[in-house]
Amino acid sequence: GAGVSQTPSNKVTEKGKYVELRCDPISGHTALYWYRQSLGQGPEFLIYFQGTGAADDSGLPNDRFFAVRPEGSVSTLKIQRTERGDSAVYLCASSLAGGSYEQYFGPGTRLTVT
Amino acid sequence: GENVEQHPSTLSVQEGDSAVIKCTYSDSASNYFPWYKQELGKRPQLIIDIRSNVGEKKDQRIAVTLNKTAKHFSLHITETQPEDSAVYFCAAGNSGGYQKVTFGTGTKLQVIP
């Protein structure tokens, strides 16, 4: 079946603007994760969903970042009042369930804040 | 929270030689240790993982070892090939209830033909 998809693949926005990044997980995967990856760094955990609820949002850097998964499938990461430091690749991953299941990553959204 | 350190940051080996990447972790509760490979411009993909109930796991040319006492684990790639060139990330997490992993900073492996 189809893998994890993310849209848009690239997003350029001006400082202070609002952006939404979308993730479509693999069908049937109940767990969904958002990561941020800066150049030369490993993925940095942002938030984890189990079904519709955020099981762990301890990685969100501040209250400008918010994510939803209203129907337990597609998720949207929302960033308000973007800052240049938000520029990074935002990765989404899904897995079959919680626990030690393999995470399947999407291709990422490259966000550039000018 | 968990802290994962990974060494070296870059590694160059001749084709056919072995490559070893080492990671340490801080949280003794971590019991799940996956390794991901990320080729340039592509998404990370799981290549092997190990759980704390075993000390070593092999899959063809790839092996991972785990020392829970010392809180370190390593990736070993034998008979390296040019297609092994990529960035490798180790990670540590727990399997209790949900899978949250903390990634290392990555090792850029270059296999020289």
Side-chain angles (χ1 to χ4, degrees):
Chain A
V4 179
S5 62
Q6 292 184 245
T7 53
S9 55
N10 281 283
K11 176 69 177 179
V12 180
T13 191
E14 293 180 348
K15 179 177 178 296
K17 298 291 188 181
Y18 168 82
V19 295
E20 290 189 351
L21 311 179
R22 175 188 168 106
C23 172
D24 276 275
I26 292 172
S27 178
H29 281 194
T30 62
L32 185 146
Y33 309 82
W34 281 99
Y35 296 90
R36 180 169 67 177
Q37 187 174 30
S38 300
L39 191 63
Q41 298 295 312
E44 173 194 4
F45 171 80
L46 295 178
I47 187 170
Y48 156 79
F49 286 91
Q50 181 59 49
T52 60
D56 186 340
D57 64 358
S58 61
L60 295 177
N62 51 59
D63 61 6
R64 296 186 298 105
F65 288 75
F66 189 71
V68 296
R69 194 186 185 199
E71 297 179 357
S73 180
V74 171
S75 177
T76 304
L77 178 65
K78 307 180 181 190
I79 310 174
Q80 299 178 320
R81 304 183 303 280
T82 52
E83 300 177 356
R84 293 193 179 86
D86 299 335
S87 297
V89 174
Y90 288 80
L91 292 167
C92 174
S94 71
S95 68
L96 190 59
S100 302
Y101 288 92
E102 176 179 356
Q103 294 187 29
Y104 294 83
F105 282 84
T109 293
R110 182 176 297 278
L111 175 65
T112 303
V113 182
T114 61
Chain B
E2 176 65 275
N3 181 50
V4 177
E5 296 190 354
Q6 183 171 348
H7 301 280
S9 56
T10 60
L11 179 60
S12 291
V13 300
Q14 290 292 135
E15 182 178 357
D17 287 350
S18 295
V20 180
I21 302 170
K22 298 182 179 182
C23 290
T24 61
Y25 63 99
S26 61
D27 189 349
S28 57
S30 291
N31 57 10
Y32 175 63
F33 307 94
W35 286 87
Y36 285 81
K37 175 183 180 182
Q38 187 173 26
E39 297 178 16
L40 188 62
K42 297 190 176 180
R43 68 195 77 184
Q45 291 191 304
L46 181 75
I47 56 171
I48 194 168
D49 57 19
I50 190 168
R51 289 168 173 77
S52 58
N53 57 340
V54 297
E56 184 176 6
K57 184 176 179 180
K58 288 184 180 180
D59 182 3
Q60 299 182 335
R61 296 186 296 107
I62 293 173
V64 58
T65 58
L66 171 64
N67 183 328
K68 278 193 67 73
T69 302
K71 297 201 192 80
H72 65 71
F73 56 114
S74 300
L75 178 71
H76 304 252
I77 306 174
T78 59
E79 301 172 20
T80 53
Q81 301 168 3
E83 52 264 39
D84 294 330
S85 296
V87 179
Y88 292 81
F89 295 101
C90 63
N94 73 75
S95 59
Y98 61 87
Q99 183 190 24
K100 175 182 176 179
V101 295
T102 301
F103 284 82
T105 50
T107 296
K108 183 176 182 180
L109 174 64
Q110 181 184 19
V111 180
I112 303 166

